[in-house]
Amino acid sequence: MSDALLAIRGLTKAYPGVVANSDVSFDIRPSSVHALLGENGAGKSTLVKTIYGLVRPDAGTMTLAGQPYAPPEPRAARAAGVAMVFQHFSLFDALSVAENIALGMEDPPPLRDLSARIAQVSRDYGLPLDPNRIVGDLSAGERQRVEIIRCLLQSPRLLIMDEPTSVLTPQEVEILFRTLRKLREEGLAILYISHKLEEIRVLCEEATILRGGRVVATCDPQRTSARRMAEMMVGGTLKTPARAAHPGGDTVLDVQGLSAPSPRPHGTALRGVTFSVARGEVLGIGGVAGNGQDELLLALSGEMRTAPGMVRLKGELVGSLRPSARRARGLLCAPEERMGHAAAPDMTLTENAFLSGRLRERLARRGFVNWTAARGFAERIIRDFDVRTPGPSAAARSLSGGNLQKFVIGREILQRPEVLIVNQPTWGVDASAAAAIRQALLDLASQGAAVVVVSQDLDELMEISDRFAALNEGRLSPARPARGLTVEEIGLMLGGAHGMEVAHAH
Amino acid sequence: MIILEKRPNPSRAWALATPVLAVLATMIVGGLLFAMLGKDPVLTIRTIFWDPLFGPFGSYTRPQLLIKAGPLILIATGLSFGFRAGIWNIGAEGQYILGALTGAAAGLALYPSESRLIFPLMVAAGALGGMAWALIPALLKVRFGTNEILVSLMLVYVATNLLAYAALGPLQNPEGMGFPGSRNLSQWPSSANLELLTGTGLHWGVVAAGVAVVGAYVLLARHAFGFAVRLAGQAPRAAAFAGVSPSRLVLACMAISGGLAGLAGVFEVTGPAGQIGIDFGVGYGFTAIIVAFLGRLHPLGILLAGLLMALTYIGGEMAQTQLGLPGAAVQLFQGMLLFFLLAMDVLTQFRLRWKGASPVIVATAKPVEGAR
């Protein structure tokens, strides 16, 4: 008790209609990496925001190193020695690393001194980073290092990390873990939030598991199996996705030498991407975000058009066709960004069902929408994919990330695609929903559809893909059978650790 | 300290209440303004809002209500499509003038023959004229990426000059003894757009406005085009994913708003205005922008907003003539209405929360989490 750095006692926070945290108590010891586990909506982020001063609890107390601790805002939390690395970075692409870090400081030193300190911290903790580079040119892993170094410059006592490895290559994860272990040796406490249970088993020595806003278990992750932890999170047993048949069909989607500039600034151009998928097959495309995934999806969905011959569907040249024409021919997509791309946040689920289902579900006649049919389609998605929502009249933005993802994937699967392309199908989705989505993708493949899964989650790709290819700086590696690939081989296909050469330069 | 908190769902109740609140706030602040100008605020507000309908000159001013509201509603309904989709046609005034010019020209070309077909021909020519004028900024935007706000606005001034040229040149009345202006179209039976029911102000333009409101409602609620318009405005990337072509949407929305503005112009020139004159453009095209937003870009809202705006126009004129209120004060009053509406709009998306003053010193530098 007395050796705790941060002691949390009876924290409770309720929002209208939902109790996010209910009587949460646990201790974080100095010199330890403490895992916080739970499904989406289990109350992890509310808890972390409370610790970081973004949310004020309704009841309960916190003590930091023996002193009462109730930060009214993040500034107070930082002053008390609590730092946080968010899952989504808040960096300005057009500014340099040092300038970005200076922006976050209360009283920044002259830029040259700051650069020197950044270089110093970067060397001390094995986080290769050049303070003078422009953030827009950095990989996701390097951006994360900017955020971590920004925190370390405040000499924190407690570092909170929210899903830090979701954007990293295996090699970058190694670098991060080495840094975290070093910080732990120096006495820092780290609160580590992740869905990746194997990582937690390697890194953490204590885990607190939340479910429905309550602490349901604490365990020693090094002595608990990943499966056991997942079951404690879910409160039931987990099913491993299984598939009925294996592929052997004819090629339906054939992409040849797909090259295109990115439509966005700081985007990645596609360079000669070539692959093909057969009926009944799942092709996994791995890679760290920002290596052309979004551009590949746009080129396949038809939102970005290319030369006709670059994309062939069942032998037909479709590279210059618009999204609706491709949909009519059986090529369907589910983009990564749920809010604002795959779905319109302020529209109802019925309207969002119409959004992509109009043609194949015949939801309009002579341009006039059949809202009854659209509503029926939305209800079917909600039922078949276990979307938790009051009903089809709910606005898309009122759904949790996992539920909206189930809706978006279900909407495309129920339209009986011949080729389905999904980007990050389980990003930010909890374990049981992720398993359901993967199972649905496998079922679709065994019914004879070709499925392309673009994901950063290598475990996921290894679990469901027949073949695996890696996207790196807009180039796609040749696809290899997924079975038997080692983590090292995959890491090399992904292009290794970004920015290692910078570290040696210093 | 008051803080704004984003609502999980936009409040339906506030969406309906804010226009009413905006009108009330305008009345209060407007009343203060009038009081400072030395006028009796209650009497002034009554003159503007009450007298046009029920005052001693009601039988003259009541028909004016529909005559003024008709073009406003017609133009605003057209504009609402583009505004919903994020396409900003600011040049409806120019399209309105062009509609009047092409409509009048089509009719005058056939003067003095008598036919029932001349009026429909003029209406069609007016709609096409307005549409063509609106398609100039649309095509430039689609082809060269120009800004439709600037181009459509600048074309208003081109249209004003075309109007002056036509009134003094090709469309000038040969029997007008050199005065600027065309023949009087409302006195030529083939082109006259007369009151359909005596004493109501109801003419074909008002009928067209009613049809436009119903049509817009059906399009937005039941048609895939309306869905595409709403989707493109709310989530442009989702619209691209759904297969909505941004270029086609720009062309369609500009064509609709231009066409309806042109219609308003031709109904005006054949009825209430009567002729092409240098002073034909009185700003309906600009006021319609206010009407569109006051009506929350919703067809029924626009109907009500058009009537309200017409009321303040007529009432404002009465306040000028009867109470000697300066014209600028009336315009200020109308501008206030839009200002308050937009300000109150915050309440539909956010809720106000009172927060006790924090003991911590006020931040001098914002933490970077907020700087997205």
Side-chain angles (χ1 to χ4, degrees):
Chain A
M1 175 75 79
S2 57
D3 64 343
L5 173 70
L6 179 69
I8 296 170
R9 290 291 172 270
L11 273 195
T12 299
K13 174 73 188 179
Y15 291 107
V18 55
V19 180
N21 283 158
S22 171
D23 196 19
V24 171
S25 302
F26 66 95
D27 289 344
I28 301 171
R29 288 184 292 109
S31 265
S32 75
V33 185
H34 191 115
L36 185 59
L37 293 174
E39 296 199 270
N40 284 14
K44 297 187 303 277
S45 50
T46 304
L47 182 60
V48 165
K49 284 181 186 164
T50 310
I51 299 173
Y52 195 55
L54 284 163
V55 166
R56 275 207 249 185
D58 300 334
T61 56
M62 291 186 283
T63 349
L64 186 71
Q67 302 292 316
Y69 173 66
E73 56 174 356
R75 242 157 41 89
R78 283 196 294 268
V82 175
M84 178 158 175
V85 177
F86 287 87
Q87 186 178 2
H88 297 286
F89 310 139
S90 40
L91 299 171
F92 293 97
D93 278 355
L95 299 182
S96 76
V97 169
E99 286 166 334
N100 263 290
I101 289 178
L103 271 179
M105 301 178 93
E106 309 274 318
D107 189 17
L111 215 52
R112 203 172 341 145
D113 300 357
L114 185 63
S115 297
R117 278 181 63 196
I118 293 170
Q120 178 72 37
V121 172
S122 148
R123 259 195 309 279
D124 288 354
Y125 293 98
L127 290 170
L129 190 65
D130 177 350
N132 299 318
R133 282 183 69 193
I134 298 297
V135 165
D137 300 333
L138 299 183
S139 75
E142 289 169 311
R143 286 170 199 230
Q144 185 182 55
R145 288 174 211 156
V146 180
E147 295 276 12
I148 295 174
I149 287 175
R150 171 190 280 174
C151 288
L152 294 182
L153 286 173
Q154 307 161 16
S155 329
R157 290 187 282 184
L158 172 65
L159 179 64
I160 305 171
M161 303 204 76
D162 188 4
E163 293 271 350
T165 58
S166 54
V167 294
L168 304 184
T169 62
Q171 279 82 353
E172 286 175 327
V173 169
E174 258 322 297
I175 296 175
L176 173 69
F177 281 12
R178 247 180 279 146
T179 305
L180 293 183
R181 291 199 182 101
K182 187 153 196 218
L183 290 169
R184 176 176 64 191
E185 280 161 29
E186 291 181 3
L188 203 78
I190 297 164
L191 182 60
Y192 189 89
I193 301 165
S194 176
H195 280 119
K196 297 189 178 171
L197 300 172
E198 287 301 340
E199 285 177 359
I200 284 172
R201 296 197 60 222
V202 174
L203 185 69
C204 307
E205 50 277 295
E206 264 179 299
T208 298
I209 299 170
L210 291 181
R211 186 168 74 234
R214 296 177 174 277
V215 175
V216 290
T218 50
C219 67
D220 177 351
Q222 283 159 5
R223 277 189 264 152
T224 316
S225 75
R227 190 181 183 87
R228 179 77 200 104
M229 285 193 282
E231 286 172 351
M232 287 194 277
M233 281 160 58
V234 179
T237 49
L238 269 184
K239 276 183 284 183
T240 319
R243 58 184 312 181
H246 272 275
D250 42 340
T251 296
V252 265
L253 180 68
D254 191 16
V255 175
Q256 291 295 333
L258 172 60
S259 297
S262 174
R264 299 174 303 147
H266 295 295
T268 307
L270 295 174
R271 298 174 212 179
V273 171
T274 299
F275 68 90
S276 64
V277 216
R279 287 189 196 283
E281 188 185 32
V282 179
L283 172 69
I285 295 184
V288 174
N291 274 294
Q293 283 92 339
D294 293 342
E295 290 78 7
L296 180 60
L297 256 282
L298 293 176
L300 293 176
S301 73
E303 289 160 78
M304 180 169 95
R305 282 182 290 286
T306 58
M310 287 180 178
V311 185
R312 289 164 200 251
L313 184 66
K314 293 179 280 176
E316 190 186 357
L317 311 185
V318 299
S320 60
L321 293 186
R322 307 186 47 75
S324 26
R326 295 191 199 196
R327 236 174 237 138
R329 287 161 173 76
L331 173 61
L332 270 57
C333 280
E336 172 190 3
E337 184 79 40
R338 298 179 278 256
M339 291 286 188
H341 193 188
D346 291 327
M347 288 192 163
T348 66
L349 294 181
T350 301
E351 289 171 307
N352 274 299
F354 178 79
L355 191 152
S356 84
R358 174 189 169 187
L359 278 172
R360 290 181 77 81
E361 293 298 309
R362 297 174 201 283
L363 300 178
R365 180 182 284 181
R366 287 190 203 153
F368 282 92
V369 184
N370 183 345
W371 285 119
T372 319
R375 191 184 168 88
F377 180 45
E379 278 167 352
R380 203 146 57 85
I381 302 167
I382 291 169
R383 196 178 54 238
D384 290 4
F385 283 83
D386 187 30
V387 179
R388 311 279 166 82
T389 169
S393 315
R397 80 167 179 212
S398 70
L399 267 64
S400 73
N403 273 311
L404 187 57
Q405 185 69 1
K406 285 195 275 187
F407 183 86
V408 166
I409 301 269
R411 178 181 70 187
E412 306 305 324
I413 288 181
L414 284 185
Q415 293 180 50
R416 305 166 312 280
E418 291 188 61
V419 181
L420 178 65
I421 293 143
V422 291
N423 191 4
Q424 298 277 24
T426 60
W427 168 261
V429 172
D430 60 55
S432 58
I437 288 173
R438 288 175 197 147
Q439 185 64 57
L441 292 172
L442 290 178
D443 291 348
L444 182 72
S446 47
Q447 287 157 21
V451 179
V452 179
V453 180
V454 180
S455 177
Q456 297 183 53
D457 186 340
L458 295 174
D459 298 336
E460 167 173 275
L461 291 177
M462 289 304 111
E463 189 176 306
I464 62 173
S465 313
D466 297 306
R467 286 187 301 145
F468 174 84
L471 197 56
N472 187 25
E473 296 186 346
R475 291 192 183 86
L476 190 72
S477 73
R480 295 169 63 176
R483 188 154 300 181
L485 276 183
T486 64
V487 173
E488 284 69 32
E489 286 174 310
I490 295 169
L492 289 174
M493 286 170 85
L494 293 175
H498 293 271
M500 286 301 284
E501 63 285 353
V502 179
H504 299 311
H506 279 277
Chain B
M1 190 167 68
I2 306 171
I3 55 169
L4 285 172
E5 199 176 81
K6 192 154 169 68
R7 295 175 190 273
N9 280 310
S11 164
R12 195 166 273 267
W14 277 111
L16 294 174
T18 46
V20 178
L21 280 179
V23 171
L24 287 177
T26 310
M27 283 188 185
I28 292 166
V29 180
L32 287 175
L33 172 82
F34 297 144
M36 283 190 284
L37 287 169
K39 310 289 175 196
D40 176 355
V42 179
L43 178 68
T44 317
I45 299 284
R46 211 190 74 159
T47 309
I48 294 176
F49 284 102
W50 182 263
D51 285 356
L53 293 173
F54 309 108
F57 306 105
S59 62
Y60 167 73
T61 48
R62 269 193 299 272
Q64 287 292 316
L65 191 66
L66 286 185
I67 287 173
K68 291 253 193 293
L72 287 176
I73 295 169
L74 199 54
I75 300 171
T77 306
L79 289 177
S80 69
F81 283 95
F83 290 174
R84 270 177 186 258
I87 299 158
W88 305 104
N89 178 6
I90 304 300
E93 180 75 7
Q95 294 138 27
Y96 165 82
I97 291 173
L98 254 285
L101 279 179
T102 50
L108 289 170
L110 299 170
Y111 188 87
S113 56
E114 295 288 333
S115 165
R116 282 169 176 273
L117 296 176
I118 288 176
F119 184 63
L121 173 79
M122 294 171 71
V123 170
L128 288 175
M131 205 180 279
W133 206 244
L135 282 175
I136 297 173
L139 286 168
L140 288 175
K141 180 183 176 71
V142 169
R143 199 90 189 87
F144 302 108
T146 57
N147 183 325
E148 77 277 17
I149 301 177
L150 291 177
V151 178
S152 64
L153 181 61
M154 289 192 293
L155 282 173
V156 173
Y157 304 108
V158 178
T160 319
N161 282 309
L162 274 179
L163 177 74
Y165 164 71
L168 295 164
L171 295 186
Q172 193 176 24
N173 184 359
E175 295 154 22
M177 302 192 289
F179 282 105
S182 70
R183 290 181 193 277
N184 195 317
L185 295 165
S186 62
Q187 287 168 9
W188 174 31
S190 294
S191 71
N193 172 24
L194 300 175
E195 212 174 42
L196 298 172
L197 293 169
T198 316
T200 58
L202 185 76
H203 62 76
W204 284 112
V206 180
V207 175
V211 172
V213 165
V214 174
Y217 184 87
V218 172
L219 267 187
L220 285 172
R222 304 239 156 247
H223 198 274
F225 173 72
F227 180 78
V229 165
R230 289 190 290 137
L231 188 59
Q234 291 182 14
R237 292 178 65 216
F241 170 65
V244 177
S245 154
S247 310
R248 285 187 213 172
L249 200 65
V250 168
L251 294 175
C253 286
M254 292 297 279
I256 290 178
S257 52
L260 292 187
L263 274 184
V266 72
F267 286 126
E268 188 70 15
V269 78
T270 51
Q275 61 167 180
I276 292 288
I278 41 176
D279 53 357
F280 175 75
V282 290
Y284 280 134
F286 290 119
T287 311
I289 298 170
I290 304 183
V291 170
F293 278 103
L294 193 61
R296 320 213 65 91
L297 304 180
H298 187 284
L300 298 178
I302 288 171
L303 181 69
L304 295 174
L307 290 168
L308 178 71
M309 198 50 92
L311 188 66
T312 64
Y313 259 82
I314 302 161
E317 267 173 42
M318 288 176 75
Q320 280 181 61
T321 51
Q322 293 176 11
L323 307 175
L325 201 67
V330 174
Q331 283 174 9
L332 193 60
F333 186 73
Q334 286 161 347
M336 237 182 250
L337 197 55
L338 182 69
F339 171 80
F340 278 115
L341 186 89
L342 293 177
M344 301 270 179
D345 224 26
V346 168
L347 294 174
T348 60
Q349 292 292 338
F350 295 87
R351 76 173 114 229
L352 292 180
R353 285 268 297 262
W354 301 95
K355 189 181 173 187
S358 158
V360 183
I361 313 128
V362 177
T364 45
K366 282 264 179 207
V368 162
E369 288 83 51
R372 286 262 163 141

